[in-house]
Amino acid sequence: MRTAVIADIHSNLEALQSVLERIRELAVDEIVCLGDIVGYNADPNACMELVRSARIDCVLGNHDVAAAGLAEPDRFTSHARAALSWTREHLSTENLQFLASLPYEKNLRGLFLFHGSVHNVNRYMLSRRDAESNFLLLDGMPEKPRIGFFGHTHEPAVLTDAYGSEQARGMVSLCDTPARRYFINPGSVGQPRDGNPRAAFLVYDGQAQQITFYRAEYDVKACQDKIRKAGLPETLAERLERGR
Ligand code: ZN
């Protein structure tokens, strides 16, 4: 089974289209999304319709939670908050209802899908140290998932409970030892923050126990034009070309 893993689309239609095109060429068996379909950029409805028509299995991100009105965005920056109000005004009722129906996390055949941290959609998981307390939460689950996929930081990452760290690029072979656990972040489709402006995603090969990180070029300028036309904060347009 080969699973494409995407996250943090953030209403960037050009990036999402480019990533889905590349994923189609890779002929995977399924696509999952780790949350934040909306927020920041200017195409929330078109992105949601693409996600729904491609039958992408999704969990909620913190921006989705706020857009769906499930919680108030108390820890958002002013730019994120401005984009969120705009998103709430523009999302169709059908798409709002779809967002509100999504789960916070999901166990998919031993793969644990979530947005920020285990049982906390808002908290960032940035280091191996952050990962340690989250591995304990996985241990407490009846299914004891060995691999967790997360987003939220917008940076590709491989966090393990082993010594040393794995590079989050190219192909990474996972150790087959049942005791070895991983948290893996594909990076962001619609607002990368690792200094590389290209849209990020990964493919997990369950049989080969391999992760391959990919980057896809997309029309950044077209996305920026839409952000400016919508009257969203200029910084949201500008950061896309820097990948920050
Ligand atoms: Zn995000």
Side-chain angles (χ1 to χ4, degrees):
M1 190 83 164
R2 289 164 69 239
T3 307
V5 183
I6 65 175
D8 296 283
I9 297 165
H10 284 300
S11 303
N12 184 335
L13 181 64
E14 287 71 22
L16 180 61
Q17 283 171 329
S18 170
V19 161
L20 291 182
E21 206 170 295
R22 189 79 183 86
I23 288 174
R24 217 167 293 131
E25 290 165 7
L26 294 166
V28 299
D29 299 295
E30 62 182 355
I31 310 175
V32 300
C33 173
L34 310 172
D36 279 2
I37 304 172
V38 301
Y40 293 127
N41 302 310
D43 267 318
N45 287 308
C47 286
M48 290 211 50
E49 271 133 39
L50 204 45
V51 162
R52 292 168 63 190
S53 65
R55 300 190 179 280
I56 298 175
D57 208 350
C58 298
V59 295
L60 283 164
N62 57 318
H63 287 251
D64 303 326
V65 166
L70 300 171
E72 280 314 301
D74 19 331
R75 274 178 281 178
F76 278 41
T77 63
S78 59
H79 307 309
R81 198 182 296 269
L84 184 77
S85 313
W86 184 92
T87 300
R88 274 180 170 176
E89 276 166 37
H90 287 80
L91 261 185
S92 70
T93 312
E94 209 185 337
N95 285 332
L96 267 176
Q97 284 169 351
F98 176 81
L99 276 186
S101 75
L102 294 177
Y104 277 87
E105 44 199 30
K106 188 163 194 165
N107 195 331
L108 186 73
R109 302 182 313 274
L111 305 174
F112 195 68
L113 314 180
F114 59 102
H115 183 68
S117 292
V118 176
H119 308 330
N120 189 327
V121 72
N122 291 304
R123 190 174 293 161
Y124 289 92
M125 195 155 58
L126 295 162
S127 64
R128 249 188 58 211
R129 198 170 175 166
D130 295 335
E132 275 165 27
S133 55
N134 282 271
F135 282 129
L136 292 177
L137 294 172
L138 290 194
D139 286 347
M141 295 176 191
E143 308 86 356
K144 301 212 184 316
R146 204 172 72 85
I147 301 174
F149 287 108
F150 70 106
H152 198 36
T153 65
H154 296 209
E155 291 193 32
V158 180
L159 305 171
T160 80
D161 57 354
Y163 289 105
S165 60
E166 304 274 358
Q167 291 215 330
R169 59 180 141 95
M171 193 184 281
V172 178
S173 290
L174 304 182
C175 177
D176 229 352
T177 316
R180 181 65 39 79
R181 294 157 306 172
Y182 293 90
F183 284 123
I184 299 166
N185 188 326
S188 167
V189 170
Q191 194 193 76
R193 294 180 191 162
D194 60 345
N196 180 346
R198 293 181 300 159
F201 69 99
L202 66 77
V203 173
Y204 165 68
D205 186 327
Q207 197 170 7
Q209 283 299 294
Q210 269 171 349
I211 298 282
T212 309
F213 289 92
Y214 291 91
R215 302 304 283 248
E217 302 267 3
Y218 74 94
D219 191 345
V220 174
K221 173 81 168 50
C223 182
Q224 289 175 315
D225 288 348
K226 289 180 183 172
I227 292 168
R228 289 173 179 133
K229 213 170 155 194
L232 289 166
E234 170 60 23
T235 179
L236 297 178
E238 193 257 338
R239 68 187 303 172
L240 292 178
E241 67 196 49
R242 291 184 290 119
R244 290 287 179 198

